[in-house]
Amino acid sequence: MDAQMKKGLLDVCVLFTLKKEDTYGYKLTQEITSLLDTSESALYPVLRRLESQGLLETYSSEHSGRLRKYYRITAVGIKRLNENIKELNDLKKVLDYIIEGEKNG
Amino acid sequence: MDERILTFIKNLKLHLEGIPDAEAREAVSYYEEYLNDAAEAGKDIDEILLQFDSPEKIAAEIKAEACITRAQRSPGLKNFSKILKYAFNGITTPLAFLGVAIFVIISYSLVISLFAGAAGVIAGAVGAILLAIYEATSIPSQFTLEILGTIGIGLLSAGICLFASLGLYKLGRLLIIASAKMIHRLQKSSSVQAQEKNSPSYTKKGNSKPLAIIYTIIIVIGFTLFFTSGLPYKYFTIFNSMKPQSIVLRNMEYSTEKINKISIVTAHSHIKLEHGSSDKVNISYEQPDWLDYECSVSGSMLSFYEKSNGRLSLFWLIKRHESVTEITIAIPEGYNPDIITLESTGGYILIKDIPDNLKVTTNTGSIKLDNSTAVKKSYSIKASTGTGYIEVNGAPAGSKYGKGLQYYDNSESGKSIILESKGGNISIIGKQ
């Protein structure tokens, strides 16, 4: 996939995954890299940016003797996610048209 | 902790040098945690580190992100300069490079000019206050209203300047934020642009509100002091050549026996010299409430001297404009003093039928010599102006002399009349 396209989809993937449940860096990365072929270290700047924009927040929870940082989506984040999903639906219409067209044509 | 993880972390820390400690610590702890979680999950550390981007690349992206966020949070010149470097990240085509270069140059110079302008205007405010204090301290203490009024105009001007500087400064900050957003967009994909529009503004709330309030208070105090002092009305009266309301008429008489020379010097009152019906020298002077005078005979010279009584500040500027107050000197017919000297900075001088030794000087006022009904006496005349014209009997006269004009006619010897005006016109009527 084009690098620019990947960059754009990372945000919505992160927000969507966090909407399903709170999670921590490693687990989040595993989920996303299975879908989008990105480097395992690529997620940190994205998480940092989304946090500074107020779309997600962090909290610490104890796990086997050390503190682990968890990410949670905020109300603003959910609003943003819904806007993004609407855009993706518009995109899907175009994609379906081309891909179906390819199949049949 | 694992040796390889430690090495990676060390490299990362090295490359993160330059960004705030808190940011660096955050990043390092994220990756430490990540690698620990990966090890716990049974992953091979070597494989993961191979998968990772190099510590250099990771650090570079974190730095760029941190800079841009910081510039939007606290839009200062230092932060701004840092992010301009990142504007060129990922620009590959020469055309795009040119475009970004132009953008960087323009936005940087605009921001610098705005901040420099803000500083310059503050200097103006300081200057205004200093000038006001200097003028106020020169006012005699009995004129309290005028002292307060002078301080008032200083505060008013300073307050307006300070407000302007605040405006310029905020404009500079806005420009920095806008440029940072622009640069951010240049680095991300187009889908992020839609998000940026809705992104909540997370700029640190500038601390300008208390300043704005203080400046407004200064302006209001200055305005009140100035407008209740009566100074604006006086300035308005003078600059619109209106007759002042509070005039005291002074009349003085001098016998011609002991007087050979007459010297009249005014700041900006008009001077009128003519023949009178009395057999004494008569001086009639309209004294306004901001002027003082000295009139005395010393030796064989009668001298009248008009000056400010300190009441009006910025008098050095005001006296260049005429005051619609007059001093009239009436000398008896047949009385011929050795010389009469008339001088005024802002006032006009009118001489009627006095073909005697005269020396007349003005700065901004005009001189009119009207000897049309004088019993013909011979006199030579020299008139020179700086920027004004010279007219003799209604027609332009005089030739270029230095930076101004000069008219010289000594075809008739006898008395000599010298007229000099720096900024005014000279008009001579009745010369043969």
Side-chain angles (χ1 to χ4, degrees):
Chain A
M1 194 187 291
D2 178 49
Q4 288 289 67
M5 216 185 282
K6 248 190 266 178
K7 263 188 177 174
L9 291 175
L10 265 182
D11 283 21
V12 64
C13 284
V14 167
L15 289 177
F16 183 69
T17 312
L18 285 181
K19 177 159 167 234
K20 287 195 285 184
E21 66 165 351
D22 299 354
T23 187
Y24 54 98
Y26 176 74
K27 188 140 163 269
L28 186 61
T29 309
Q30 298 312 302
E31 281 212 39
I32 297 209
T33 51
S34 65
L35 187 61
L36 291 170
D37 177 30
T38 52
S39 145
E40 288 196 40
S41 61
L43 225 55
Y44 177 69
V46 177
L47 290 171
R48 202 65 197 91
R49 181 167 39 85
L50 293 177
E51 189 186 349
S52 66
Q53 286 175 334
L55 301 174
L56 49 88
E57 54 193 12
T58 61
Y59 59 92
S60 301
S61 178
E62 217 197 293
H63 169 86
S64 24
R66 58 186 169 96
L67 280 181
R68 189 189 254 163
K69 187 182 246 183
Y70 280 80
Y71 295 89
R72 167 172 52 209
I73 192 170
T74 61
V76 188
I78 294 186
K79 209 164 72 141
R80 168 68 59 82
L81 176 61
N82 291 336
E83 287 165 11
N84 286 349
I85 292 182
K86 229 188 287 171
E87 282 172 21
L88 287 179
N89 274 322
D90 294 336
L91 181 62
K92 181 169 186 299
K93 275 196 226 135
V94 178
L95 293 176
D96 286 341
Y97 177 75
I98 296 178
I99 295 175
E100 288 305 314
E102 243 330 77
K103 255 199 252 169
N104 299 337
Chain B
M1 227 190 300
D2 196 282
E3 182 65 41
R4 295 156 292 177
I5 298 184
L6 282 170
T7 321
F8 174 80
I9 296 293
K10 200 169 73 165
N11 278 330
L12 185 63
K13 276 195 189 154
L14 207 70
H15 282 107
L16 279 178
E17 242 154 63
I19 75 172
D21 280 344
E23 282 282 345
R25 256 180 281 132
E26 276 263 356
V28 165
S29 79
Y30 174 87
Y31 285 104
E32 269 176 6
E33 219 186 85
Y34 186 95
L35 291 168
N36 281 326
D37 283 335
E40 223 183 75
K43 289 287 191 66
D44 181 10
I45 296 295
D46 280 326
E47 237 192 81
I48 296 202
L49 286 177
L50 269 169
Q51 277 270 330
F52 268 19
D53 293 326
S54 69
E56 246 167 325
K57 189 151 175 272
I58 296 177
E61 219 189 311
I62 296 177
K63 273 204 237 177
E65 201 63 61
C67 269
I68 293 177
T69 313
R70 195 172 35 185
Q72 288 186 269
R73 274 232 174 86
S74 26
L77 206 53
K78 210 169 50 167
N79 294 344
F80 185 56
S81 317
K82 287 202 184 133
I83 68 169
L84 285 181
K85 281 189 291 173
Y86 295 108
F88 292 100
N89 273 6
I91 301 292
T92 47
T93 70
L95 199 61
F97 188 86
L98 187 63
V100 173
I102 292 178
F103 164 75
V104 165
I105 292 174
I106 291 183
S107 63
Y108 197 68
S109 13
L110 274 179
V111 168
I112 296 255
S113 326
L114 284 172
F115 282 171
V121 176
I122 288 190
V126 172
I129 291 274
L130 288 178
L131 181 63
I133 292 179
Y134 171 73
E135 289 284 332
T137 49
S138 330
I139 299 180
S141 48
Q142 79 235 50
F143 300 123
T144 34
L145 268 187
E146 277 79 4
I147 296 179
L148 291 176
T150 307
I151 296 183
I153 185 80
L155 286 177
L156 185 58
S157 323
I160 294 179
C161 283
L162 289 172
F163 228 100
S165 89
L166 192 63
L168 287 176
Y169 175 68
K170 299 228 86 181
L171 216 60
R173 276 166 67 104
L174 270 177
L175 194 55
I176 290 180
I177 294 175
S179 304
K181 284 214 178 111
M182 216 27 232
I183 293 175
H184 216 183
R185 279 189 205 189
L186 287 174
Q187 309 211 318
K188 305 290 175 181
S189 77
S190 51
S191 78
V192 178
Q193 283 188 15
Q195 296 173 14
E196 286 289 339
K197 256 183 262 176
N198 306 321
S199 153
S201 131
Y202 46 102
T203 308
K204 208 163 56 175
K205 286 274 185 244
N207 58 345
S208 63
K209 228 189 196 146
L211 274 183
I213 293 180
I214 293 178
Y215 296 161
T216 313
I217 292 180
I218 293 179
I219 290 181
V220 167
I221 294 181
F223 188 86
T224 318
L225 282 180
F226 181 56
F227 274 88
T228 55
S229 67
L231 276 179
Y233 177 68
K234 285 220 168 61
Y235 289 144
F236 184 78
T237 312
I238 296 176
F239 283 112
N240 281 288
S241 301
M242 291 160 52
K243 194 113 184 167
Q245 288 185 337
S246 52
I247 295 186
V248 178
L249 203 55
R250 308 274 185 200
N251 276 306
M252 293 151 293
E253 252 180 19
Y254 296 91
S255 140
T256 60
E257 275 171 22
K258 310 253 184 73
I259 300 178
N260 259 329
K261 310 191 210 342
I262 299 182
S263 158
I264 311 284
V265 178
T266 66
H268 57 162
S269 290
H270 297 322
I271 304 178
K272 207 155 128 186
L273 177 67
E274 57 190 15
H275 282 306
S277 45
S278 151
D279 62 346
K280 295 204 169 56
V281 172
N282 243 304
I283 296 185
S284 166
Y285 174 49
E286 294 174 330
Q287 180 187 13
D289 68 0
W290 66 84
L291 293 177
D292 240 344
Y293 73 98
E294 279 164 16
C295 191
S296 57
V297 177
S298 156
S300 58
M301 174 147 103
L302 164 67
S303 68
F304 174 94
Y305 186 80
E306 174 191 77
K307 57 185 180 177
S308 160
N309 64 2
R311 186 177 212 150
L312 289 185
S313 37
L314 299 176
F315 190 71
W316 47 271
L317 194 61
I318 296 174
K319 71 177 180 182
R320 293 175 58 87
H321 190 280
E322 57 161 347
S323 161
V324 187
T325 47
E326 244 175 41
I327 174 170
T328 309
I329 304 104
I331 60 177
E333 187 83 51
Y335 167 62
N336 297 321
D338 287 346
I339 178 134
I340 301 180
T341 316
L342 308 175
E343 189 185 313
S344 179
T345 308
Y348 290 33
I349 300 186
L350 170 63
I351 306 131
K352 193 140 177 42
D353 299 328
I354 313 276
D356 290 329
N357 286 330
L358 291 174
K359 184 165 193 304
V360 183
T361 318
T362 62
N363 193 328
T364 56
S366 291
I367 304 175
K368 185 158 162 206
L369 176 70
D370 183 353
N371 282 341
S372 42
T373 51
V375 172
K376 296 292 180 258
K377 284 203 188 123
S378 69
Y379 57 91
S380 73
I381 182 161
K382 178 154 105 176
S384 41
T385 59
T387 59
Y389 60 77
I390 302 181
E391 233 177 41
V392 175
N393 293 330
S399 44
K400 201 157 185 299
Y401 184 80
K403 287 209 177 126
L405 294 175
Q406 187 177 85
Y407 169 79
Y408 189 33
D409 182 355
N410 69 342
S411 52
E412 308 186 42
S413 63
K415 304 291 183 176
S416 123
I417 298 183
I418 300 177
L419 311 174
E420 277 167 15
S421 177
K422 231 193 214 160
N425 306 319
I426 298 183
S427 132
I428 302 161
I429 305 177
K431 177 86 180 78
Q432 239 118 43

